[in-house]
Amino acid sequence: MKRYIVLLGPPGAGKGTQAQVIAQTLNLAHISSGEIFRENLKNQTELGKLARTYMDRGVLVPDDVTIAMIEARLRKADCDEGALLDGFPRTPVQAKALDQLLEKTNDRISCVPYINVPEETLIERLSGRWTCPVCGYVYHEKNNPPANPGVCDKDQGVLQQREDDKAETVQKRIDVYWQQTSPLIDYYRKMGLLVEVDGKRSIDEVSQQLLEEINKKAD
Ligand code: AP5
């Protein structure tokens, strides 16, 4: 049976950082809705141009557009063993659409880790985030710095800051999370899928706890 894991948490909680580790360890496709939008934006596709008008304001891209994009992504061959979803679903409509999509193939979500981090830590993390445009690896100037400032350890890519990590957009993204995404915590808790992880701990400690919780759900 395929394995589907949904990583839940506010902007800056560490979803992308942890998804890279967990997807690789469990041999699952890592599907980040934000990354797919940013890739489209870079390639100037129609989807990218549309997404930009929402992302620049820190608000969500409409559900129908996002659901269609994820549905197409889940059909790709690298999802044969399942997928780790990072940043999707983000609204109750998206969550129901994902359930229905998986039902079609008799699949279901096996675990929803919720990375819980207080708001002041989120702001500190997002303002210090630097990403490699070549491999997508995520650094933090204090918590997880590269060996040489501004340069990726893996491929020497010149690190960049995200457009939507400006202070005013960050606050908007956090507000949108509380209004539109946080109801999913209860949605998945009621389904018996939610496991809460303390995201304030170190990156390695969070990875370890996530893997333990995910494996417990698989037993
Ligand atoms: P998206 O790209 O999904 O952004 P997000 O959810 O706001 O999350 P982030 O990527 O900002 O944070 P993260 O939790 O991945 O943290 P990270 O690991 O980088 O979405 C962007 C936009 O796209 C949205 O605003 C929306 O417009 C649109 N969008 C995307 N999905 C959508 C959807 N489903 N529906 C509609 N619209 C959608 O870590 C952050 C920093 O902290 C890094 O520097 C990292 O090194 C550091 N760090 C991580 N963990 C730790 C730790 N344990 N200790 C210390 N530092 C840490």
Side-chain angles (χ1 to χ4, degrees), residues 9-18 32-35 37-38 54-55 58-61 66 86-90 94 125-126 128-130 138-140 143-144 162 164-165 173 199-203 206:
K15 301 183 296 300
T17 301
Q18 297 299 337
S32 158
S33 43
E35 271 311 309
F37 285 133
R38 280 186 288 280
Y54 297 94
M55 292 169 84
V59 300
L60 298 183
V61 179
T66 308
D86 155 17
F88 181 93
R90 237 169 161 109
Q94 293 181 15
R125 284 190 186 173
L126 292 174
R129 168 166 61 188
W130 290 85
V138 181
Y139 294 88
H140 187 278
N143 308 332
N144 184 27
R162 262 170 54 176
D164 59 351
D165 278 349
R173 285 163 56 205
K200 291 194 305 302
R201 299 164 77 192
S202 74
I203 293 174
V206 176

Side-chain angles (χ1 to χ4, degrees), residues 88-176:
F88 181 93
R90 237 169 161 109
T91 64
V93 171
Q94 293 181 15
K96 290 199 179 85
L98 178 62
D99 291 342
Q100 285 163 6
L101 206 68
L102 297 183
E103 262 169 35
K104 284 186 199 165
T105 48
N106 279 332
D107 289 307
R108 57 183 182 81
I109 298 166
S110 59
C111 183
V112 181
Y114 162 45
I115 308 179
N116 194 358
V117 176
E119 191 159 322
E120 60 275 16
T121 308
L122 300 175
I123 293 168
E124 188 265 327
R125 284 190 186 173
L126 292 174
S127 58
R129 168 166 61 188
W130 290 85
T131 308
C132 174
V134 182
C135 67
Y137 190 80
V138 181
Y139 294 88
H140 187 278
E141 59 194 21
K142 287 194 205 128
N143 308 332
N144 184 27
N148 296 311
V151 182
C152 181
D153 295 344
K154 298 172 195 294
D155 50 33
Q156 313 307 306
V158 177
L159 304 183
Q160 294 177 347
Q161 276 198 299
R162 262 170 54 176
E163 282 289 322
D164 59 351
D165 278 349
K166 283 185 255 150
E168 63 278 17
T169 321
V170 162
Q171 191 56 55
K172 179 68 186 169
R173 285 163 56 205
I174 293 172
D175 293 346
V176 165

Side-chain angles (χ1 to χ4, degrees), residues 3-9 15 19 22 26 28-31 33 70 74 82-91 94-95 98-99 102 108-115 181 184-185 187-188 191 193-197 210 214:
R3 198 177 202 187
Y4 292 92
I5 297 165
V6 168
L7 265 191
L8 207 58
K15 301 183 296 300
I22 291 161
L26 301 179
L28 295 173
H30 171 197
I31 301 184
S33 43
I70 294 294
L74 282 170
L84 177 68
L85 290 152
D86 155 17
F88 181 93
R90 237 169 161 109
T91 64
Q94 293 181 15
L98 178 62
D99 291 342
L102 297 183
R108 57 183 182 81
I109 298 166
S110 59
C111 183
V112 181
Y114 162 45
I115 308 179
T181 308
L184 298 186
I185 298 169
Y187 179 83
Y188 288 121
M191 291 168 83
L193 295 172
L194 196 89
V195 286
E196 191 165 334
V197 171
L210 280 169
I214 290 167

